[in-house]
Amino acid sequence: MAKGTKRLKEPKERRRDRKQREAALEAEVEVIDEETAEEPTPEPLHEIVETEQPPEPEEEIPLEIVGAYEEEEEEEDELEEEGKKLRKGMFRSRRVLSRPFVRAATRKAIDPEFWQDAEEALIAADAGVPAATAIVEGARHRILTQGIRDLEGLKEAFREEIAEMLRSFGSPPPLPEERPHVIFMAGVNGVGKTTTTAKVGYQYKHNGYKVLFAAADTFRAAGIEQMEMWAQRVGAPCVRHKTGGDPAAVVFDALESAKAKGIDVVLVDTAGRLHTKKNLMDELNKMWRVAERQMEHEPETILVIDATTGQNGVSQARIFGEALPIGSIALTKMDGSAKGGVVLAIGSELGIPVAYVGMGEGLMDLRPFDPDAYAAALF
């Protein structure tokens, strides 16, 4: 029994010790609570920031605002179908570019930060640093010299500056007198090159020219069949070889057929290739030389660029330009998922004009590029 009694007393001692420790801890907590209760509760940081007055800007131009600023979207019945599609395609760019104007409208002033915000917004819309800087400086000069003090005038100054820059890149080359004229459609994989080839052919056929397609995308699965299908929809002949054939041989046979049939324009659907693959770029250059020797005049190249690729489009244009002369650009996938400022970046760096803008999958969804309409869709 003595041993059993000893085992029962040991837990009681432990419990007594534990109660003593818990009592000591509670006493410490009460002391801490009493000390902190005497100190004032600090105000939240965001409330302090809101009560401070912003610093006065170095330069500030009053801006006349009528009502609250909202990004105005025209009613559908007030816009032509083409304008509606372009505005829809430029939605992401317009949303990014609206931010500096929202801030200016809120403050009812054009302050120094507005110019910086505008430049950053243009860069975010893929316009590139050189183009963004030039546009902001040009718009600032217009606004200050013309004494613009209203929001619409502010936006119009940017529209005019962008349209003027786009026109400075030049115009797409006109159709030469020599027949047949050869146009190579080049670009990386997945940009919609074959579809754009068909759409360009449709444009020429719609304007009264005889068109022939060359299915030189001989290595892509179903690439030849896809070009043939589009040729049938356009109502134009298509020269093809078997899958895996020599693309340069397709070009040669297409030109022989074009000369025999009195064709005006030969559109060559080239294989999509990564601009970083030298052997594929050399093959493209070989096709160009075949056409140049056979026709005794220089062909034309339209570089197809996906508008969603952003600044990577500049790299594509630069490297393709090393393989063959690029006459113009066809900007595809401008149907709501793009930031189309890349045309400003490419033009500013390489001086290449835009010929077409693709805004859908139909044959009529490729439109000749209009600098003024493009600028208006941005702002």
Side-chain angles (χ1 to χ4, degrees):
M1 292 295 296
K3 290 183 179 179
T5 304
K6 188 175 182 180
R7 284 197 298 269
L8 291 172
K9 287 182 179 179
E10 189 173 0
K12 290 181 179 179
E13 293 175 357
R14 291 181 181 177
R15 284 198 297 272
R16 185 173 58 250
D17 293 339
R18 185 166 55 253
K19 290 179 179 180
Q20 291 176 352
R21 288 196 299 270
E22 290 174 354
L25 288 173
E26 289 176 358
E28 291 180 6
V29 171
E30 290 175 359
V31 171
I32 294 173
D33 290 342
E34 290 174 0
E35 292 175 352
T36 56
E38 296 176 358
E39 297 178 359
T41 303
E43 297 183 9
L45 180 61
H46 70 276
E47 294 182 5
I48 296 174
V49 172
E50 289 179 353
T51 58
E52 292 180 351
Q53 295 297 323
E56 291 294 326
E58 298 177 1
E59 175 188 2
E60 190 173 279
I61 304 172
L63 189 65
E64 298 176 4
I65 304 294
V66 179
Y69 175 80
E70 294 180 357
E71 185 181 356
E72 296 179 358
E73 294 288 347
E74 292 88 342
E75 296 294 334
E76 289 190 1
D77 56 357
E78 295 178 0
L79 290 172
E80 297 179 357
E81 189 67 25
E82 181 177 343
K84 288 188 293 184
K85 286 185 176 181
L86 184 58
R87 281 188 62 81
K88 180 180 178 181
M90 301 294 283
F91 170 73
R92 286 183 61 190
S93 293
R94 190 166 60 255
R95 184 174 58 184
V96 170
L97 293 172
S98 68
R99 294 168 186 167
F101 297 93
V102 171
R103 183 178 181 277
T106 302
R107 294 206 61 197
K108 297 185 179 181
I110 308 171
D111 57 19
E113 291 185 23
F114 170 79
W115 310 110
Q116 182 178 350
D117 291 345
E119 185 173 334
E120 291 175 355
L122 283 163
I123 294 171
D126 293 330
V129 175
T133 302
I135 290 168
V136 171
E137 289 301 317
R140 182 175 185 171
H141 178 73
R142 290 176 186 269
I143 291 164
L144 296 179
T145 56
Q146 297 176 17
I148 295 173
R149 297 295 182 269
D150 63 287
L151 186 63
E152 182 56 33
L154 192 66
K155 293 164 67 176
E156 183 62 26
F158 277 83
R159 293 189 195 110
E160 293 174 357
E161 196 63 32
I162 288 175
E164 186 174 300
M165 175 177 284
L166 290 168
R167 284 190 287 269
S168 72
F169 302 151
S171 302
L175 191 66
E177 295 181 1
E178 295 86 353
R179 297 289 189 273
H181 179 55
V182 185
I183 301 176
F184 285 90
M185 304 295 293
V188 301
N189 293 306
V191 296
K193 183 168 40 53
T194 301
T195 304
T196 304
T197 301
K199 293 176 182 178
V200 173
Y202 177 82
Q203 294 274 336
Y204 277 111
K205 191 172 187 297
H206 184 71
N207 290 324
Y209 296 101
K210 294 182 179 179
V211 176
L212 180 143
F213 294 101
D217 188 357
T218 59
F219 295 101
R220 180 170 63 90
I224 297 173
E225 290 76 9
Q226 185 185 12
M227 187 70 261
E228 282 187 311
M229 179 195 71
W230 278 109
Q232 291 176 1
R233 292 182 61 181
V234 174
C238 178
V239 173
R240 58 161 293 174
H241 282 193
K242 64 180 180 179
T243 301
D246 182 8
V250 177
V251 173
F252 182 90
D253 289 348
L255 293 182
E256 288 296 306
S257 176
K259 288 187 286 186
K261 296 178 179 179
I263 296 295
D264 297 307
V265 180
V266 176
L267 287 155
V268 182
D269 179 31
T270 65
R273 60 203 69 225
L274 294 174
H275 54 291
T276 54
K277 300 295 184 181
K278 185 178 184 303
N279 59 327
L280 294 176
M281 300 301 289
D282 290 342
E283 181 187 83
L284 185 60
N285 184 261
K286 175 185 174 183
M287 296 163 63
W288 172 277
R289 294 195 305 270
V290 167
E292 192 174 28
R293 287 195 302 267
Q294 199 169 359
M295 303 312 303
E296 298 183 353
H297 64 272
E298 190 174 84
E300 177 187 346
T301 302
I302 296 178
L303 180 63
V304 183
I305 291 181
D306 182 342
T308 65
T309 59
Q311 287 296 300
N312 190 37
V314 180
S315 300
Q316 294 174 23
R318 185 187 304 110
I319 297 176
F320 271 97
E322 295 173 358
L324 68 174
I326 299 175
S328 61
I329 290 170
L331 196 65
T332 64
K333 304 184 182 180
M334 290 290 296
D335 54 358
S337 59
K339 289 191 293 185
V342 66
V343 300
L344 294 164
I346 294 173
S348 179
E349 183 169 336
L350 304 174
I352 302 174
V354 179
Y356 299 100
V357 176
M359 297 176 288
E361 294 297 325
L363 282 173
M364 299 182 65
D365 289 332
L366 187 74
R367 292 286 189 269
F369 182 72
D370 183 345
D372 293 303
Y374 174 92
L378 278 175
F379 294 99

